[in-house]
Amino acid sequence: MSFTKTSDKKAEGAAKTEPKVKKIKGAEKTLAFQVPKGMHDVLPADQPWWNRTRRAVEEMAATYNFLRIDTPILESAELFQRGIGEETDVVQKEMYMLKTKGGDVLALRPEGTAPLVRAYLQHGMSRLGQPLRLYYEGPFFRHERPQAGRYRQLTQAGFEIIGGPNDPIFDAQVILVFDRLLKYVKIGDVVLKINSIGCRICRPFYKRQLQTYYKRHEQKLCADCQRRLNANVLRLLDCKNENCKPFKEHAPNFLDKLCSACSQHFKGVLEYLDELGISYSLDNQLVRGLDYYNRTVFEMMVQQGPGAELGALLGGGRYDYLFEELGGRLTPAVGGAVGYERLIEAMKAQKVNLPAKNQKRVFVIYVGELAKRKALKLTEQLRSAGLAVTEAFGKESLRAQLKIADKEGFSLALILGQKEIYEESVILRDLRNSLQENISMSKMVDEIKKRLKEK
Ligand code: HAM
């Protein structure tokens, strides 16, 4: 099996080169191996942020009745070529592809919507109650140039509403879920950018107008824009090249050219958002980097200040035609996906406080060899009674164990020594004021629970 990124077949030989030796700041010694470029370890210290994010996604899914779906990390490369579009950066430059020994060409999934539609069609999910609300989360891969908020392995959660009528209420509902999610994790100063990119009827007219406009400036455009002028002119509105920016500003506005059905739909979305009190900013240059969208497209980002440098925290839109593209029938669908890494960076940049740790835990301390043996069994007894228990087996001195309990923020400790074993009792110590009391072992669980409840 060999991996290549879409545009860089030269990388095929890279595995044969020696790993670079680099001294890492804070590491124990010079290391031969590091995490691959653009990818990250999530260390224990960062896990509370990740737990918070996963928890928020789970909460939103439960609140708005989305059912979980998991699809494989590898899919047929053609699924993305057909689904996302041959002319997109994701397909042209960013896909990690591999050829199996059997000759199949697979890709590490760069996004979740095309796999979700593949699964919906494959499992005949149109037979289930429609619209179907599905969500997913997990790792995705894009061979992008790493920079702030842009990685090669990224984590997304997507919320999708599939099937049923083509009703703007569902566009608004997807946006509502994300709006609520950002509020849940307490990210502030967020702007919702929204646009409509029409349908099969009005889009060709708009594209022709856009082409005519850009052709007048063709020589001054960047190489990518020159190439896309004929192949996929909408992408020009998405170009980040400084030279192309002035032309974008004066480009014709799609919102003026929408057919009446698309115009009605977009008006409907905005009215629902007004009703929900979700403010938005119309952005006629928002076209998104994936070709499957029609009508509504949206992104949310921090408007200014800490977190604004990260770009879009999430994005999505309607993709009614994707089902036909992948062999099914026209099916109304709308959804979006949020990037965990950007969400976490925004939370940190805005100095969001994580909710206080659950303090309902007890720290078990032993003094002496006999007590150590008993303590192992005692901790299990406490766990079976539903208590969260921590110990520091291996640290023999009372002082060392107390120090750890203190450092980890425990308020209650249970101390077991030889005397207590003979008396069938334990010492309960309040670590905040050092007051302690001898309790019979038979009453231990109830007493601990009572004390933890009082805190
Ligand atoms: P997307 O805009 O390509 O949309 O990605 C969604 C989010 O994933 C972005 O807003 C960002 O937070 C995160 N993201 C994307 N690329 C990177 C990267 N290289 N590094 C870090 N984070 C990244 C989609 O993927 C669509 N499938 C969304 C969708 C669902 N549309 C309809 N349904």
Side-chain angles (χ1 to χ4, degrees):
M1 226 178 260
S2 64
F3 268 98
T4 55
K5 86 175 161 82
T6 333
S7 67
D8 192 359
K9 297 282 187 284
K10 277 182 249 157
E12 281 173 359
K16 293 183 198 118
T17 57
E18 289 296 316
K20 276 188 202 139
V21 176
K22 192 174 167 190
K23 176 83 179 88
I24 299 175
K25 210 172 142 204
E28 282 178 20
K29 55 182 178 183
T30 306
L31 294 174
F33 295 103
Q34 310 168 39
V35 71
K37 193 172 170 190
M39 303 192 180
H40 294 273
D41 299 312
V42 181
L43 301 179
D46 257 350
Q47 293 295 342
W49 295 98
W50 284 79
N51 287 341
R52 177 79 181 138
T53 307
R54 283 189 281 256
R55 180 74 195 273
V57 166
E58 294 295 327
E59 281 281 328
M60 293 310 115
T63 307
Y64 293 96
N65 306 315
F66 282 75
L67 303 173
R68 178 158 181 137
I69 182 167
D70 291 299
T71 60
I73 286 176
L74 283 170
E75 293 271 1
S76 154
E78 204 186 335
L79 170 70
F80 300 111
Q81 285 153 351
R82 296 241 311 254
I84 299 176
E86 285 284 2
E87 276 303 316
T88 57
D89 278 353
V90 172
V91 166
Q92 281 197 349
K93 303 178 185 168
E94 297 166 6
M95 275 212 296
Y96 286 88
M97 311 228 292
L98 65 89
K99 199 166 178 181
T100 66
K101 282 187 178 149
D104 295 330
V105 181
L106 303 180
L108 285 177
R109 57 184 190 181
E111 63 96 49
T113 309
L116 180 104
V117 171
R118 194 252 325 125
Y120 176 91
L121 295 173
Q122 183 176 341
H123 301 288
M125 286 196 250
S126 61
R127 290 194 301 265
L128 305 174
Q130 309 283 307
L132 196 57
R133 290 177 171 77
L134 297 173
Y135 83 104
Y136 51 86
E137 57 137 35
F140 295 85
F141 302 84
R142 296 184 188 179
H143 195 277
E144 297 198 70
R145 201 162 55 80
Q147 49 186 284
R150 179 156 299 162
Y151 306 119
R152 291 181 176 177
Q153 179 175 332
L154 55 127
T155 317
Q156 280 186 357
F159 289 90
E160 319 274 357
I161 303 182
I162 302 177
N166 197 328
D167 192 319
I169 198 163
F170 299 128
D171 309 45
Q173 206 175 37
V174 162
I175 292 170
L176 170 66
V177 172
F178 286 113
D179 181 71
R180 180 95 179 251
L181 177 85
L182 295 187
K183 288 189 173 120
Y184 186 96
V185 296
K186 300 196 164 45
I187 294 179
D189 204 14
V190 170
V191 60
L192 161 65
K193 292 197 172 171
I194 191 164
N195 192 19
S196 175
I197 55 169
C199 66
R200 280 177 182 155
I201 297 170
C202 50
R203 202 179 330 185
F205 291 107
Y206 176 67
K207 276 165 104 172
R208 271 204 293 281
Q209 277 205 354
L210 202 59
Q211 247 167 2
T212 312
Y213 164 79
Y214 268 113
K215 282 238 155 97
R216 292 205 296 271
H217 310 288
E218 190 167 356
Q219 297 314 316
K220 296 181 196 132
L221 300 174
C222 73
D224 267 350
C225 283
Q226 287 187 3
R227 192 170 43 76
R228 287 177 172 156
L229 189 49
N230 294 315
N232 192 348
V233 68
L234 279 187
R235 291 257 71 75
L236 271 67
L237 294 174
D238 201 29
C239 179
K240 306 283 181 291
N241 190 307
E242 283 301 319
N243 292 338
C244 303
K245 268 191 185 160
F247 304 115
K248 281 192 340 183
E249 272 157 34
H250 300 106
N253 186 345
F254 207 156
L255 292 182
D256 301 332
K257 318 284 173 201
L258 293 176
C259 64
S260 68
C262 286
S263 189
Q264 273 303 106
H265 185 96
F266 195 50
K267 195 164 156 266
V269 178
L270 301 184
E271 281 171 2
Y272 281 121
L273 293 177
D274 288 337
E275 191 67 31
L276 288 164
I278 297 177
S279 48
Y280 48 80
S281 159
L282 296 181
D283 181 348
N284 67 346
Q285 285 165 15
L286 183 68
V287 288
R288 311 260 305 127
L290 309 157
D291 277 355
Y292 48 61
Y293 293 113
N294 65 300
R295 293 192 167 168
T296 316
V297 285
F298 66 89
E299 288 183 351
M300 289 189 199
M301 64 238 355
V302 175
Q303 200 159 15
Q304 55 190 354
E309 70 289 354
L310 297 166
L313 301 175
L314 59 91
R318 183 161 275 286
Y319 49 94
D320 306 331
Y321 304 136
L322 181 55
F323 298 78
E324 283 179 329
E325 201 60 57
L326 301 180
R329 275 180 297 163
L330 184 83
T331 307
V334 57
V338 59
Y340 282 18
E341 289 80 4
R342 290 190 195 174
L343 209 63
I344 290 169
E345 280 168 43
M347 279 192 263
K348 287 182 176 176
Q350 296 195 351
K351 301 202 173 9
V352 167
N353 286 324
L354 289 175
K357 247 190 184 170
N358 183 6
Q359 294 298 319
K360 298 202 181 314
R361 303 171 304 150
V362 61
F363 196 93
V364 171
I365 293 174
Y366 62 93
V367 186
E369 197 48 41
L370 182 62
K372 184 177 183 182
R373 230 178 301 149
K374 289 278 178 205
L376 185 62
K377 200 164 159 212
L378 189 120
T379 49
E380 285 320 291
Q381 214 180 319
L382 296 174
R383 284 184 182 127
S384 305
L387 290 163
V389 184
T390 301
E391 30 64 25
F393 291 143
K395 297 271 181 225
E396 306 300 332
S397 86
L398 173 66
R399 228 175 118 225
Q401 293 177 69
L402 278 171
K403 210 167 149 193
I404 294 173
D406 184 48
K407 201 169 149 202
E408 294 192 9
F410 280 83
S411 53
L412 190 64
L414 181 154
I415 304 173
L416 192 63
Q418 198 151 330
K419 180 168 166 278
E420 285 72 35
I421 291 169
Y422 290 128
E423 289 176 356
E424 299 211 345
S425 67
V426 294
I427 296 170
L428 279 191
R429 182 179 171 110
D430 189 325
L431 295 169
R432 294 164 308 177
N433 54 19
S434 301
L435 292 178
Q436 56 185 50
E437 194 183 345
N438 214 288
I439 307 279
S440 140
M441 255 190 207
S442 60
K443 295 196 179 132
M444 167 186 76
V445 169
D446 287 345
E447 186 62 27
I448 294 173
K449 284 188 175 168
K450 195 176 122 206
R451 290 187 181 213
L452 290 176
K453 219 179 242 163
E454 283 165 6
K455 294 191 190 311

